[in-house]
Amino acid sequence: MPQKVILDVDTGSDDAVAIMMAILAPEIDLVGICSVNGNKGIENTTENTLRTVQLLGSDVPVYKGCPAPMVKRLFPGRYGWTRAQKVGEVDGKKVEYHTDFLDMLPPASIKPQPQNAVSWLIDTLMASDGDITIVPVGPLTNLAMAIRIEPAIVSKIKEVILMGGGHRITNTTSAAEFNIWEDPEAAQIVLTSGCKVTLVPLDATHAAYVTAQESKEIRSIGTPAAIATADLIDQRIKAYNVAQPMKVQDSAPVHDALAVLAVIDPTVLQEVRFARIDVDISGGFADGMTIVDNRALPDYPKNAYIALDADREKFVRMLKHYLSKS
Ligand code: BDR
Ligand code: CA
């Protein structure tokens, strides 16, 4: 029986691979995709999501979500990072983790649904049998807003498997990972909601790096999804080489795809701990940091699972496996 999943994305190069996994894997029954502000503004992340869905000829509905974090931008001092930031240049050409639009895919001729993502999430969860897993791989604004508007959805959510956070690795500030940093209040709402939450943080996604050689092998699979994935991974490798060199040269993480594949096979995540995890929302140096209380007896109840490692070979094997389907 396929598992029902709602994906929440800020597409985004690695989000696109996550979407492809969720559409292609027969183990997943993809109920819908919500878009959110994050890697780019909401118009871009929605368009990029539609482009990816269109590439696969899928009829999964896409719902446009929140255009900004819950409250963070009310505090000018907390908004220090610019999304227009370019990460560097190679041979005079700008290289970025995420371009404004996924240039390798044609513009979308399909449209988002008329309903807003937050109200659709509430309606869908309330009408469900409690069997839907939510996989957010962008800032947590949509889910946190839905929980604030209708707290009864919490008992209707089977579990939340989210890409976000970093324990020993961060990427946006010295303390914070991007998805949590972009909307820290939303992340804290989700973490303290009572939902079963698993964090797939940078510690796990960096362990599951994909190399340039593996990208070549993916390209040779030859399906439209495989070719697009190889293009996206190659773009990511260029950006990581310049701005965030990995321990293995010419490799990059494909963060969001790991969260989707963990729904199908949780053993792709390794070193999973149950801990007390909170997000710093104080606006200081640690704004957006995921604070993992490793003590056996934390001051507050343990509330989330966090994966500190991943089975890289299994991850790459699963990517190739699903990309050979069309
Ligand atoms: C996360 O931030 C985004 O840039 C990626 O899509 C991923 O979801 C990694 O920190
Ligand atoms: Ca993302």
Side-chain angles (χ1 to χ4, degrees), residues 72-302:
K72 183 174 177 177
R73 290 188 193 164
L74 304 177
F75 303 89
R78 296 175 73 193
Y79 192 48
W81 181 85
T82 156
R83 65 158 68 87
Q85 182 189 51
K86 60 176 189 176
V87 298
E89 273 184 12
V90 173
D91 302 333
K93 277 198 189 147
K94 187 161 105 169
V95 292
E96 296 172 289
Y97 301 113
H98 311 279
T99 46
D100 283 347
F101 292 103
L102 300 181
D103 302 320
M104 66 286 292
L105 304 181
S109 52
I110 55 173
K111 300 271 174 249
Q113 300 297 309
Q115 191 175 8
N116 172 273
V118 176
S119 66
W120 176 76
L121 266 176
I122 296 169
D123 290 351
T124 306
L125 289 165
M126 291 309 291
S128 77
D129 296 328
D131 54 353
I132 301 179
T133 297
I134 315 270
V135 183
V137 296
L140 287 147
T141 321
N142 290 335
L143 182 54
M145 289 289 285
I147 290 171
R148 275 293 185 258
I149 293 167
E150 181 47 274
I153 63 169
V154 166
S155 60
K156 289 287 200 168
I157 295 173
K158 185 178 168 203
E159 62 177 315
V160 176
I161 302 181
L162 67 91
M163 191 285 131
H167 188 44
R168 291 179 292 238
I169 305 177
T170 66
N171 61 4
T172 301
T173 70
S174 56
E177 177 279 332
F178 177 75
N179 288 341
I180 307 296
W181 178 88
E182 174 69 1
D183 196 343
E185 283 78 9
Q188 180 67 357
I189 288 169
V190 171
L191 276 167
T192 54
S193 64
C195 287
K196 179 182 176 199
V197 177
T198 299
L199 260 68
V200 180
L202 296 173
D203 308 77
T205 64
H206 278 234
Y209 60 86
V210 180
T211 65
Q213 173 57 31
E214 286 158 348
S215 177
K216 249 190 209 159
E217 290 161 15
I218 287 172
R219 187 178 300 283
S220 73
I221 294 170
T223 59
I227 293 166
T229 297
D231 287 344
L232 292 161
I233 293 174
D234 290 349
Q235 173 193 323
R236 294 181 61 77
I237 290 174
K238 271 191 197 145
Y240 273 82
N241 277 348
V242 173
Q244 219 186 135
M246 302 284 288
K247 62 180 180 201
V248 172
Q249 168 77 6
D250 287 329
S251 75
V254 191
H255 312 285
D256 298 348
L258 184 62
V260 171
L261 295 180
V263 177
I264 301 170
D265 184 350
T267 67
V268 75
L269 302 180
Q270 297 280 299
E271 215 188 315
V272 180
R273 297 185 192 168
F274 188 46
R276 175 72 204 185
I277 304 177
D278 290 287
V279 175
D280 186 273
I281 51 175
S282 64
F285 284 118
D287 204 28
M289 178 179 184
T290 39
I291 300 163
V292 182
D293 191 339
N294 279 313
R295 295 174 297 171
L297 298 174
D299 298 329
Y300 299 96
K302 296 185 181 185

Side-chain angles (χ1 to χ4, degrees), residues 1-6 27-31 128-129 131-134 158 263:
M1 194 55 175
Q3 302 195 55
K4 290 188 183 167
V5 167
I6 292 174
E27 295 88 344
I28 289 181
D29 171 6
L30 189 58
V31 180
S128 77
D129 296 328
D131 54 353
I132 301 179
T133 297
I134 315 270
K158 185 178 168 203
V263 177

Side-chain angles (χ1 to χ4, degrees), residues 7 9 19 214 286 302:
L7 202 51
V9 294
I19 294 168
E214 286 158 348
K302 296 185 181 185

